Amino acid sequence: MRIVCPFCGERELGEFTYLGDAKPARPAAGASEDDVFDYVYLRDNIAGAMSEHWYHAGGCRAWLKVTRNTLTHEISSVEPAAGVGAAKVGA
Amino acid sequence: MKYSIFSLARAAFSGHKTWQRTWRDASPKDHYDVVIIGGGGHGLATAWFLAGEYGIRNVAVLEKGWIGSGNAGRNTTIIRSNYGLPGNTGFYELSMKLWERMEQDLNYNTMVSQRGVINLYHSDAQRDAYARRGNTMRINGIDAALLDLSAVKKMMPFLNFDNARFPVQGGLLQRRGGTARHDAVVWGYAHAASALGVDIIQNCEVSGFVRDANGKVTGVETSRGKISAGKVGMAVAGSSSRVAAMAGLRLPIESHVLQAFVSEAIKPLIPNVMTFGAGHFYVSQSDKGGLVFGGDIDGYNSYAQRGNMSVMEDVCEGGMALMPMIGRVRLLRQWGGIMDMSMDGSPIIDKTPVDGLYLNAGWCYGGFKATPGSGLVFAHLLARDELHKEAARFRLDRFRRGAVIDEKGVGAQPNLH
């Protein structure tokens, strides 16, 4: 697997570390116990195209949002994750 | 058919042409008391214990491919019970005791080899942690011995003892641990379960659950038709989330890929199963002579049954740090299996919130050694509707209650960014 980093170009997998599914959003401070349990423990564990967060630790150290098929490892899109990096490139 | 020295002799004199199929490839009936989804080691062991121990013989095991084609055939065949946390210690020892009598129980040669499992330690802190784990094991009646450097040197003189960064200082040894032949375990359980009347149905993929008006599961829809069932048990580690989703359940599980490797055959070298404590590398030598080894999961969600080069490199670096001479050995085969990575690193054996549906999942990368124990406690749950006392902590609701069993301190991924 190689990931085309929008800042560094095509790089080998070993440069990246994985966070997981990009869908779960941290519940607000006053959220219910159920919401927190759901966020911390439960997973969709998608078989197919999944949007996920990767960190380019061995390169630009940017967080990326990668859409990858978990059945084939095929990557269909890579973009900067929301935040300062994304703002810099106008994403 | 019963196997013995006499059956072997008889078959030898007739040119080995009289062997019969060791288990019966069944077609599905309309109804079973218990249907087990998943024809791996755990599913087949569950069926055998249901029939033999709990007297429920109208049982079917449904397998979407051929039996043992999933993780049962994709592991490094290690058996051990060197766990330190309440919940794990008793359960894995139950399993270890079942390994020790498996061949007699099943009348099948599963090649259980108690050659010992040694975890090497490389620092004072790690020695203390291993001593603690060893003491926990001994308090619970499990054998453990803390070896110092000279004992390790005598046992494995071929290790690199000049590693300045990660010096080998000693190891924690469980002499009763070892290996077993993974495929034979599958065939052995199929052989014994089939003889008790269990239907083993291959190429039968479950595509949905049949529910009654109250939501109770009363059967399964499969690629070979509808099958009604009193109870349905899932033993489909790797695909647990996908099967549970058909019943509307979300699980605390991520599917990850774990790679394993076999080298070309070399002369007898490694006398036991050993692990490198400064990285993650475990190795044993098969009877054919190949070094069988593995390391960490790749670290990203996957259902692809294949991994990537960076982890392969990492695993081999661990091996090289421990025994540099294996750098001359060529890799023969490599494969990937899909692990049910639960959020605390421990399994789940429990009823689900859906009536009539039972769950056996979340084995992370420790499923093989648990095969007989898992079969017994899951059969107990299916037969009696109560948790076996040695598996009482493997509850599905433990995450919500905060009663996690975090033996290694990581779940699907460690979040050490």
Side-chain angles (χ1 to χ4, degrees), chain A residues 1 12-14 17-19 34 37-38 41-47 50 54 63 68 70-73, chain B residues 241-242 250-256 299-304 306 308 310 343 399-400 404 413 415 417:
Chain A
M1 226 156 75
E12 199 267 328
L13 184 72
T17 51
Y18 184 69
L19 183 64
D34 279 352
F37 166 72
D38 193 292
Y41 290 112
L42 297 186
R43 298 287 187 273
D44 288 337
N45 202 9
I46 295 162
M50 176 160 152
W54 287 80
W63 280 97
R68 187 180 61 97
T70 58
L71 293 165
T72 61
H73 295 174
Chain B
S241 299
R242 298 171 82 181
R250 282 175 84 215
L251 299 177
I253 285 174
E254 288 182 14
S255 294
H256 283 248
Y300 46 83
N301 286 42
S302 174
Y303 288 94
R306 61 174 184 276
N308 272 284
S310 53
M343 292 297 140
F399 302 94
R400 190 185 284 274
V404 293
Q413 42 127 349
N415 276 334
H417 305 293

Side-chain angles (χ1 to χ4, degrees), chain B residues 4 42 125 200 363:
Chain B
S4 68
H42 290 228
I200 298 164
W363 289 99

Side-chain angles (χ1 to χ4, degrees), chain A residues 6-7 64 79-81 83-91:
Chain A
F7 304 106
L64 306 173
E79 52 189 61
V84 179
K88 269 188 198 162
V89 292

Side-chain angles (χ1 to χ4, degrees), chain B residues 207-227:
Chain B
S207 54
F209 291 101
V210 182
R211 317 270 293 259
D212 69 8
N214 300 323
K216 182 182 188 313
V217 168
T218 57
V220 286
E221 303 275 4
T222 77
S223 55
R224 296 178 69 174
K226 192 165 128 180
I227 303 170

